[in-house]
Amino acid sequence: MRIDAYEDPGTPDRRGGWRYLAWLVRRQWPRCLAGAVLASVWMVLLAATPYLMARAVDHGLEPGDMGALAGWTGAMVAVGGVNAWLGVMRHRTMTKVRMDANFRTVKVVVGHATRLGAALRGQVGTGEVVTIGVGDVQTISTSLTAVGPGVGAIVAYAAVGGLMLSVSIRLALVVLLGVPVLGLLLGPLMGRLQGREAEYRERQSVLTARIGDLAGGLRVLNGLGGKGLVADAFHRDSGRLREQGYRVGAVTSWIQALGVGLPMLFLALVTWLGARQAAQGHISVGELVSVYGYVVALGWPVAFLIEMGHQLSRGVVAARRVVAFLRLEPAPDEGTLDAPAEPSVLHDPASGVRITPGRLTALVTPHPSDATDILDRLARYTPSDATWGDVPLTDIPLAQIRSRILLADPEADLFAGPLHDVIGVAEANLRGAGTLSAAIGDEETPLRGAGNCATSHEAPAAAKPPPGADETAKLTAAIRTAAAEDIIRALPDGLRTQVAAQARDLSGGQRQRIRLARALLTDPEVLLAAEPTSALDAHTEATVADRLKQARRGRTTVLAATSPLLLARADVVHHLVDGKVAATGTHRELLETEPGYRALVARDDEGAEDTERAEEGAPAR
């Protein structure tokens, strides 16, 4: 039995931490059963060795029967060999149990995060998700040791107690009652550990989120001189986490100390009682040897039982955190009406913005958050009374909206991997069109292969386009529209260059163009973008503006921007004041009639001059 990378992990039990752990066991019950059987037989055979040794002493060594001694000795050797093999198989099986639980939990968490989509950030912090992924998952999988050595320890404990009955009822009662007493002594500490561990995990997730924020904004902090302030805050948070870690460690150390010390006292008591009975003649020398052996053999089960309690205490805390995450739900999608079949007007009553289909529309506001809120409403990322045609967006199934309306977030995540994957084209599609290099050509052959295989927008009439040519042509067009050719040229392996998470090894302007290329590659019916060129220099921004207008001709495009280079190319500009439309017209009309608009987009004479040059088609300075 194995868990396949693309297999459905199943529906987890979200009713509690213990139930989630039980679900993980049920999902692989044949393997868990095998682990329990192997561990049980392994531990019982550990206890069988003293029994065989006692028989060798009583029936072979003491009467001088060399044949019996050799037979019992051979039996011990055979049992030892079998037990060695059982130990290997037990460890291998339990490793598979832990790995299955690990990967299954990862798949469940990642799958649920994907289902939450845009609602994820609004309900849980990044640090919480990271802590679950790198800490809680491992803790949960380790706690499943209870289904192997844990069950085996219980079986071996009962078996040793039964063997002790054949030696002395008094010793058997001490053995059978000793471990429950240990459990009563350690139980309160286990409960306290759960509370300490839960608080520690909460603080750990907060600190993890702060580390992520710090890593992502280090350049900005350096520029603003705020690095020291953030470092002090991080120092305080890490100090609190350290103190909480000490508290967890204090409880853990008591559990481990008592887990080692109390069993030794208990086993010493059993040994002392056995020795007294041997001295009084109540048991034989061989039986005394077996008692010593049973005491040694009990060390494994008792240690595993205490370890099982410790791991389960930590595992249930981690499972509760996973369950809490799995209980998060996205906003309900109650849409039952179909979206308009043809491109239709998008209307946001809250602001008065009307988006005419097939045109390039710009939203201009002194407060960027106002424009962002409008785009969120038009893309149905927040509840609103916005309509598409005559249909309220809330009445349209979300899947239809997502397939036709794309909101290009200026801070959209960029995942680590090859650049072509980051933009959105699989390696297989690129390979079908020829091996790509870092070279980007001119407009006629904008993407060249390493083997002099050029792919243009149109294949020669006499030649059949190779597999993947369409994907490559779309990628080429998106890269060119975003003016990202120089990025590809500068990278050592072109589109195959590995980029870091969030593309931190690229500049801000490069990341912005990569995000724009990714959005353009999807070619949505409606593209909504917030400040898509804010990090670009004037020359590159003018290039993007020209190419974007050409590439999106006849397609609905909405840009939230204050750059005159973009606004000069917009078909319609909405000037917003306090989140509402104050004036609508072309860029030139609003410059002439709206003083507030003119002050916002052309802040000085140089800005006004750049605006005029942009309108006339000349490059900005």
Side-chain angles (χ1 to χ4, degrees), residues 29 119 128 134 153 172-173 197 205 225 271 363 367 420 444 563 565:
W29 68 266
E128 178 74 7
V134 302
L173 290 176
E197 186 80 15
S205 66
T271 303
L363 306 180
H367 304 292
H420 61 78
E444 286 72 25
S563 168
L565 296 172

Side-chain angles (χ1 to χ4, degrees), residues 40-55:
S40 299
V41 176
W42 176 67
M43 288 195 183
V44 169
L45 288 182
L46 288 176
T49 301
Y51 174 83
L52 296 173
M53 184 179 296
R55 294 299 175 270

Side-chain angles (χ1 to χ4, degrees), residues 282-309:
H282 296 306
I283 60 176
S284 67
V285 175
E287 288 174 332
L288 176 61
V289 172
S290 69
V291 168
Y292 288 145
Y294 294 148
V295 168
V296 174
L298 274 177
W300 283 96
V302 172
F304 272 122
L305 285 174
I306 294 175
E307 180 67 14
M308 178 184 70

Side-chain angles (χ1 to χ4, degrees), residues 113 116-126 129 325 328 409-415 502 515:
L116 288 174
L120 177 62
R121 289 187 176 180
Q123 299 190 54
V124 64
T126 304
V129 179
F325 176 77
L328 301 177
D409 192 319
E411 298 299 325
D413 290 324
L414 296 172
F415 300 105
Q502 303 301 341
R515 289 189 177 100

